[in-house]
Amino acid sequence: MLDGRVLRSRSVPGLDQDVYALLATYQALIRTAADAVTTRPGLAMERISFTVLLQAAADQVTTVTGIHAAGPGPLLGPIGRMVLDNLLPTARRQRVKARSRKNPTSKYGPDAGKHPQTTQTYALSVEIHVMEDGLASRRRR
């Protein structure tokens, strides 16, 4: 929603206010989309484009026209009409390319849980020194 911008406030209360404003705006847009979906029976929420919803809301705030709902349902306003006019297609497009892992050392890779093909041998040598007289004390400075 911020389109790559950072929050403006420089204080903790101001940041709280910015975050709550963003969350309230997001919640209002989602509720508007849900209201638009209820006006058409059988319409799935997945067909609503959040980009169109956000642009319609920005246009509505900028132009301040047609604020009061007028149309087929009391819940459908100009934002809802724009969203319903620009629905996503019913069938999702197929992926052209398979998903690839971003982390080549992921534990969920194709070789996860497999042992190496070649065995590795290690040599271990241990020396034990017994000090019968104990350690010499340090010199005082």
Side-chain angles (χ1 to χ4, degrees):
M1 281 175 53
L2 289 177
D3 207 18
R5 292 184 298 267
V6 295
L7 298 173
R8 295 180 188 178
S9 297
R10 303 278 184 229
S11 63
V12 174
L15 287 174
D16 282 345
Q17 184 178 2
D18 283 352
V19 169
Y20 282 121
L22 285 171
L23 290 174
T25 303
Y26 179 78
Q27 184 67 27
L29 290 175
I30 294 301
R31 301 256 336 227
T32 302
D35 290 345
V37 168
T38 57
T39 60
R40 286 197 188 166
L43 182 64
M45 186 72 170
E46 290 83 28
R47 294 203 44 209
I48 300 291
S49 169
F50 190 75
T51 306
V52 171
L53 184 66
L54 193 60
Q55 186 61 46
D59 291 345
Q60 194 64 26
V61 168
T62 305
T63 60
V64 192
T65 57
I67 292 175
H68 299 291
L75 298 177
L76 189 61
I79 298 173
R81 281 194 299 279
M82 182 163 302
V83 166
L84 290 178
D85 291 342
N86 297 299
L87 291 174
L88 294 173
T90 55
R92 290 180 172 241
R93 62 182 176 89
Q94 295 295 319
R95 290 189 179 271
V96 179
K97 185 175 132 180
R99 291 183 180 173
S100 61
R101 286 186 331 227
K102 292 183 179 179
N103 184 0
T105 59
S106 171
K107 66 180 182 178
Y108 301 108
D111 297 328
K114 295 182 182 176
H115 295 290
Q117 296 297 326
T118 58
T119 60
Q120 297 175 351
T121 58
Y122 298 97
L124 176 68
S125 64
V126 177
E127 292 182 21
I128 299 175
H129 297 280
V130 177
M131 304 173 97
E132 294 182 15
D133 296 330
L135 295 174
S137 60
R138 285 187 181 179
R139 255 184 338 145
R140 293 191 181 209
R141 293 184 187 186

